[in-house]
Amino acid sequence: MDYALLLIAFILMIVGILGSILPVLPGPPISWVGLLLLYLTKAVPMNYTVLGVTLAIALVVGILDYVIPAKGTKRFGGSKYGIWGTNIGLVIGILAPIPFGFIIGPFVGAFVGELLNDSKDSKKAFKAATGSFMGFLASTFMKFVISVIFLGIFLVKFWEYRGAFFS
């Protein structure tokens, strides 16, 4: 049973890293489930502190993933129309069957939203859309780093208790 948990946990760690780049999958929460499965093996003693802290981090990062692109739009001079456009564009970009829709969607959504707000100022709309894109990149980088850190914790714990797995 421990081997199955270990294998599934490792697969979830890899899927979590992929999910940090692909917005369809929530990367850090998936990686956290991989950590949980590692701690559910008989070989690794339960550590509620590590699991609690990493869960809190995964949840905060999951929430920030939706907030940061909108804040990027606002920081670059976008209005509420641009922020709504970013969020709507992200959802449409994820669901649309176009390559890199999750990258194009927030940018186009912010641009269209700003044009709806002020159709005469396309420079401002483009600047707000750029902010949206920068916010998207920042949140993707943050998710990737957290998922890689979770993988590091996983590997350190596995290595520490490797004797219990292979004895």
Side-chain angles (χ1 to χ4, degrees), residues 59-75:
L59 292 175
V60 167
V61 167
I63 292 167
L64 286 176
D65 184 37
Y66 293 100
V67 173
I68 290 174
K71 291 293 183 184
T73 303
K74 189 172 184 177
R75 175 105 168 111

Side-chain angles (χ1 to χ4, degrees), residues 1-18:
M1 181 67 169
D2 276 359
Y3 293 122
L5 284 174
L6 184 65
L7 179 63
I8 294 168
F10 183 71
I11 290 169
L12 287 174
M13 299 305 292
I14 300 303
V15 169
I17 289 173
L18 292 173

Side-chain angles (χ1 to χ4, degrees), residues 27-106:
I30 291 173
S31 292
W32 183 83
V33 172
L35 278 178
L36 176 64
L37 291 180
L38 176 68
Y39 279 101
L40 290 176
T41 64
K42 293 176 187 164
V44 179
M46 187 61 69
N47 187 334
Y48 294 107
T49 303
V50 169
L51 287 173
V53 169
T54 54
L55 175 61
I57 291 169
L59 292 175
V60 167
V61 167
I63 292 167
L64 286 176
D65 184 37
Y66 293 100
V67 173
I68 290 174
K71 291 293 183 184
T73 303
K74 189 172 184 177
R75 175 105 168 111
F76 278 69
S79 66
K80 289 184 181 185
Y81 286 87
I83 293 169
W84 275 102
T86 298
N87 292 329
I88 293 169
L90 178 61
V91 171
I92 292 172
I94 290 170
L95 299 176
I98 58 172
F100 302 106
F102 63 93
I103 294 174
I104 298 167

Side-chain angles (χ1 to χ4, degrees), residues 91-148:
V91 171
I92 292 172
I94 290 170
L95 299 176
I98 58 172
F100 302 106
F102 63 93
I103 294 174
I104 298 167
F107 182 84
V108 171
F111 187 73
V112 169
E114 288 301 325
L115 285 178
L116 288 174
N117 184 41
D118 184 6
S119 62
K120 294 180 176 98
D121 196 355
S122 62
K123 284 186 180 185
K124 180 182 175 190
F126 184 78
K127 185 177 177 185
T130 301
S132 166
F133 183 67
M134 298 300 279
F136 170 78
L137 289 179
S139 68
T140 299
F141 179 73
M142 175 185 62
K143 292 185 307 182
F144 180 76
V145 168
I146 294 301
S147 293
V148 169

